[in-house]
Amino acid sequence: MRLKRNEVPIEETWDLSALFQNEDQFEDAISKAINEATIIEETFKGNIRNSTVAAQVIEAYKNLNAKLIPIGSFAQLSISVDQTNDDAQMRSSKVGQTFAKISAQLSFITSELLQLEESILLETKNKAPQFSLYIDKLIQKKPYQLHPEAEKALAAYGTTFKAPYELYNTTKLVDIQFNNFEVNGKSYPLSYNSFEGDWELESDTAIRRAAFDAFSTKLHQYQHTTAKTYDTHLKIEKTNADLRGFDSVFDALLFDQDVDRTLYNRQIDLITKELAPHMRRYAKLLQQVHGLEKMTFADLKISLDPTYEPKISIEESRNYMKDGLSIMGEDYQKMLDRAFDERWIDFAQNDGKSTGAFCSSPYGYHPYVLISWTSRMNEVFVLAHELGHAGHFYLANAKQNLFNARPSLYFIEAPSTMNEMLMANYLLANSNDARFKRWVISTIVARTYYHNFVTHLLEAAYQRKVYERIDQGGSVNASILNSLKRTVLEEFWGDTVEITEGAELTWMRQPHYYMGLYPYTYSAGLTIATQVSQRILHEGDVAVQQWLTVLKAGGTKSPVELAKMAGVDITTDQPLRDTIDYIGSLISELEDLTKELEAGK
């Protein structure tokens, strides 16, 4: 029986008091923000005519945003740990409405700034160089800016436009209740988190496949509601792209990422074609080691050597973090200590908690990490991943102003996946035992590369097919989404893996589809991380210091420039091809180690 949120040990939960000590402080902050927005409107609306006033309004807008950040973070983090909590639901709804109102109220700022002569904006940059990046991005938006009243109306609908994502989470985390499943007369509990954290990795084939069947059967009952929710989200994105004059929804969604479709398509096309043969070898190795008559989709997440994988405590995970990431230096180590000592991390497993893991890094405050701790050793890599996000923004937020701190989504997964690679490098360097080495390498393949280069990449390939349909004026429903997802899976796995019934429903499990063109960025980030981690492995502190400089740069450079600072040229195919070759070499090493271990039995 899963615990309710109020039943979990407090030491396994995060402490949100750094944001607000109590509800009264939270409500007071909302009132002050609403009042400050009104003052900005009364002071500046219709008056932004020269560079002096332009700099003043940007400064005022920045200061207000800094006050909105803890409000939004508190509401979002509260509901993410318990979607069933009525107070959290109402708080989140109130914040959404408040933010939409303020956004509409202050939409005049962008409109009036863009109505200025470009020479005045350049003059503003000279007077307030800290806002240069903000102004440059503003100028880039000019071709896609609508009439001020249209912008105000769209901003007012902000919370409504986010409704599909909220509906998706409500369906997934509140309404869907899984029944226990039975194997050989024994009953096992099932939930979203237990399936993705435990049963999907279960070494007992009968239990694992029964869990998959039970999980898929329940998803099937909600497929039409979930598909309609997603179709609504897609139509909002397409309408926005059309209204603003983008050539396609792809161009609209890639605009803020500061990359073109060449980089986007390359990740999907090259990996789908060139990684597939390597991953099919890995699937066959799993099948051989586990003695499976056939390899099914439900078997792809199992460990190569489940009897070897130790269980570890939360405190033991701390030691792994400190040791594995020690190469990042003393300041980074202090950040890791703070994360555990000050309860930045929510480890608890409880009803209504968001699935997967994430890191939220509110500007001006410390980061927060969500994870549902299962005590499996592979969770060390998940935690290292999220603390990679934390370390990134801990450094960037300290060095950059609010407008400059956040890099493009294209780059966002590089620091997180980098930590997974550093953890693997450390573990491999500290043991010559063949079985341990095989376990570490298999974890890199099964966790780091499978998750980021396969799971998320196939999501991206599927997502591209969906958007192509939407761009042509089409719609989607459950049958279409199931067909598209199954096609992608079958193309990648060929006849090596049986795409069992229910596999096509994995499109229902991923919240990333409500976050634009996000899934492909995992492989993009890991491509950069793989190359830089190899530099760190061979060059040591010189490469580490360059990487720390990149992290501190935040969003002041484009993804291409950030990668170049770290010694990687992502304008060419080479880093991606090298990374695919590296994954292939890891799988070859797993095959050799398996033969060595079996010969020694």
Side-chain angles (χ1 to χ4, degrees):
M1 189 72 179
R2 289 176 64 79
L3 298 174
K4 300 295 183 185
R5 181 66 181 179
N6 60 8
E7 296 172 336
V8 299
I10 192 168
E11 62 270 17
E12 293 183 10
T13 66
W14 54 29
D15 178 8
L16 298 184
S17 64
L19 298 170
F20 295 103
Q21 293 284 337
N22 51 54
E23 201 72 24
D24 288 341
Q25 272 191 3
F26 174 73
E27 292 292 340
D28 185 54
I30 290 178
S31 296
K32 286 180 178 176
I34 292 171
N35 184 56
E36 189 165 328
T38 300
I39 291 172
I40 292 173
E41 182 183 29
E42 291 173 348
T43 304
F44 294 104
K45 189 171 184 180
N47 297 321
I48 308 174
R49 301 188 186 96
N50 57 56
S51 58
T52 300
V53 178
Q56 290 172 349
V57 75
I58 296 172
E59 177 70 28
Y61 186 52
K62 175 181 74 71
N63 293 339
L64 174 60
N65 270 282
K67 291 169 185 173
L68 294 175
I69 284 171
I71 295 171
S73 298
F74 188 76
Q76 184 255 332
L77 294 172
S78 296
I79 199 168
S80 68
V81 292
D82 189 2
Q83 295 273 348
T84 68
N85 185 286
D86 288 344
D87 291 338
Q89 289 176 9
M90 293 303 100
R91 186 187 296 117
S92 178
S93 179
K94 179 177 181 177
V95 168
Q97 291 169 347
T98 301
F99 281 17
K101 179 184 176 183
I102 289 175
S103 182
Q105 194 174 8
L106 301 186
S107 64
F108 77 89
I109 295 174
T110 297
S111 295
E112 290 192 24
L113 286 171
L114 286 178
Q115 287 171 356
L116 295 173
E117 294 290 334
E118 194 161 324
S119 60
I120 296 177
L121 290 174
L122 294 174
E123 192 178 320
T124 305
K125 285 171 61 174
N126 291 330
K127 285 186 176 179
Q130 69 273 26
F131 299 140
S132 291
L133 184 63
Y134 176 84
I135 293 170
D136 286 341
K137 289 186 174 181
L138 204 64
I139 293 170
Q140 289 171 8
K141 288 181 180 179
K142 193 164 188 173
Y144 309 107
Q145 186 74 3
L146 304 177
H147 186 279
E149 288 304 313
E151 291 290 350
K152 183 176 181 179
L154 288 175
Y157 274 105
T159 187
T160 306
F161 293 153
K162 293 176 183 175
Y165 180 50
E166 294 174 2
L167 283 170
Y168 166 78
N169 275 326
T170 301
T171 304
K172 175 181 175 180
L173 301 171
V174 181
D175 284 347
I176 297 182
Q177 297 295 318
F178 294 90
N179 301 320
N180 288 5
F181 66 97
E182 286 194 8
V183 178
N184 297 326
K186 186 175 179 181
S187 181
Y188 298 88
L190 182 63
S191 68
Y192 244 108
N193 275 318
S194 70
F195 177 74
E196 294 186 345
D198 278 315
W199 300 129
E200 218 175 9
L201 314 173
E202 171 62 44
S203 58
D204 186 303
T205 301
I207 295 175
R208 180 178 65 254
R209 290 179 178 175
F212 179 85
D213 289 342
F215 185 76
S216 300
T217 296
K218 180 58 69 171
L219 289 188
H220 189 270
Q221 295 171 11
Y222 289 84
Q223 62 177 321
H224 298 295
T225 300
T226 307
K228 180 56 68 176
T229 300
Y230 184 39
D231 186 54
T232 302
H233 170 76
L234 293 167
K235 284 184 168 61
I236 291 170
E237 289 183 317
K238 175 60 175 169
T239 301
N240 181 67
D242 289 345
L243 280 174
R244 296 191 178 281
F246 285 98
D247 291 337
S248 73
V249 70
F250 291 100
D251 294 323
L253 294 173
L254 287 171
F255 180 79
D256 287 334
Q257 292 187 23
D258 201 13
V259 294
D260 59 32
R261 287 178 73 172
T262 304
L263 272 69
Y264 167 71
N265 286 323
R266 177 193 296 147
Q267 289 297 128
I268 298 172
D269 294 336
L270 265 183
I271 296 175
T272 301
K273 179 183 176 183
E274 298 188 13
L275 182 63
H278 296 305
M279 294 310 300
R280 290 173 190 176
R281 282 196 294 130
Y282 176 68
K284 286 177 181 175
L285 182 61
L286 284 177
Q287 182 180 0
Q288 171 207 320
V289 170
H290 284 267
L292 300 175
E293 185 179 337
K294 62 179 179 180
M295 190 70 182
T296 76
F297 185 78
D299 304 320
L300 286 168
K301 296 287 186 73
I302 54 179
S303 171
L304 190 61
D305 191 355
T307 61
Y308 190 75
E309 186 170 344
K311 295 280 186 178
I312 66 165
S313 67
I314 290 171
E315 188 55 37
E316 286 170 332
S317 77
R318 175 180 184 152
N319 296 330
Y320 273 103
M321 293 304 113
K322 294 290 296 295
D323 293 340
L325 302 175
S326 60
I327 196 168
M328 293 291 283
E330 187 178 345
D331 287 345
Y332 205 91
Q333 293 282 290
K334 288 178 181 176
M335 184 273 294
L336 295 173
D337 277 331
R338 286 188 63 195
F340 283 88
D341 291 338
E342 299 174 19
R343 287 172 46 213
W344 296 6
I345 309 168
D346 199 275
F347 292 98
Q349 287 203 46
N350 59 264
D351 272 343
K353 186 173 180 177
S354 293
T355 58
F358 69 74
C359 177
S360 174
S361 301
Y363 187 89
Y365 300 83
H366 66 68
Y368 286 92
V369 168
L370 179 142
I371 187 172
S372 293
W373 192 255
T374 64
S375 297
R376 289 178 180 270
M377 184 65 179
N378 75 328
E379 293 284 293
V380 166
F381 285 85
V382 181
L383 187 55
H385 178 105
E386 299 308 334
L387 287 170
H389 287 305
H392 182 195
F393 288 105
Y394 183 80
L395 294 170
N397 289 353
K399 294 294 182 181
Q400 305 296 336
N401 69 42
L402 187 150
F403 291 143
N404 292 2
R406 193 171 186 84
S408 158
L409 193 63
Y410 184 94
F411 188 81
I412 216 80
E413 295 299 336
S416 53
T417 51
M418 166 64 83
N419 273 18
E420 295 188 55
M421 299 307 298
L422 294 179
M423 186 65 65
N425 287 347
Y426 167 79
L427 292 172
L428 286 172
N430 283 275
S431 178
N432 291 317
D433 179 75
R435 194 174 178 197
F436 180 76
K437 188 175 183 181
R438 184 178 72 160
W439 175 81
V440 173
I441 295 171
S442 67
T443 302
I444 301 169
V445 173
R447 157 61 216 171
T448 302
Y449 285 110
Y450 186 96
H451 188 67
N452 298 295
F453 253 72
V454 180
T455 299
H456 290 316
L457 191 281
L458 294 183
E459 288 165 359
Y462 152 82
Q463 187 184 42
R464 185 170 65 175
K465 289 179 182 293
V466 170
Y467 280 121
E468 285 170 351
R469 185 179 181 90
I470 296 299
D471 244 353
Q472 292 164 7
S475 298
V476 294
N477 60 20
S479 297
I480 291 168
L481 294 174
N482 289 341
S483 176
L484 292 176
K485 186 64 179 179
R486 175 171 284 277
T487 298
V488 167
L489 293 174
E490 289 175 343
E491 285 175 353
F492 188 82
W493 291 110
D495 58 6
T496 303
V497 177
E498 181 183 310
I499 308 302
T500 43
E501 186 176 350
E504 71 280 356
L505 295 171
T506 52
W507 64 265
M508 294 177 63
R509 294 165 53 183
Q510 186 51 267
H512 291 161
Y513 298 137
Y514 297 83
M515 303 172 188
L517 297 177
Y518 188 13
Y520 92 100
T521 66
Y522 280 86
S523 63
L526 184 50
T527 299
I528 297 168
T530 300
Q531 300 307 307
V532 179
S533 68
Q534 289 298 301
R535 285 196 60 217
I536 289 174
L537 190 62
H538 297 110
E539 299 174 34
D541 193 57
V542 172
V544 170
Q545 294 308 315
Q546 284 187 346
W547 183 242
L548 288 170
T549 300
V550 170
L551 299 184
K552 292 171 185 176
T556 58
K557 307 286 185 183
S558 71
V560 170
E561 291 168 329
L562 288 171
K564 193 160 286 187
M565 286 172 65
V568 183
D569 183 3
I570 59 172
T571 63
T572 72
D573 293 357
Q574 202 59 47
L576 182 52
R577 290 187 186 277
D578 287 347
T579 300
I580 292 170
D581 288 344
Y582 177 67
I583 297 170
S585 72
L586 291 177
I587 294 169
S588 295
E589 197 165 357
L590 287 178
E591 291 171 331
D592 292 342
L593 285 167
T594 298
K595 288 177 185 174
E596 178 186 331
L597 288 166
E598 289 180 348
K601 284 182 180 178

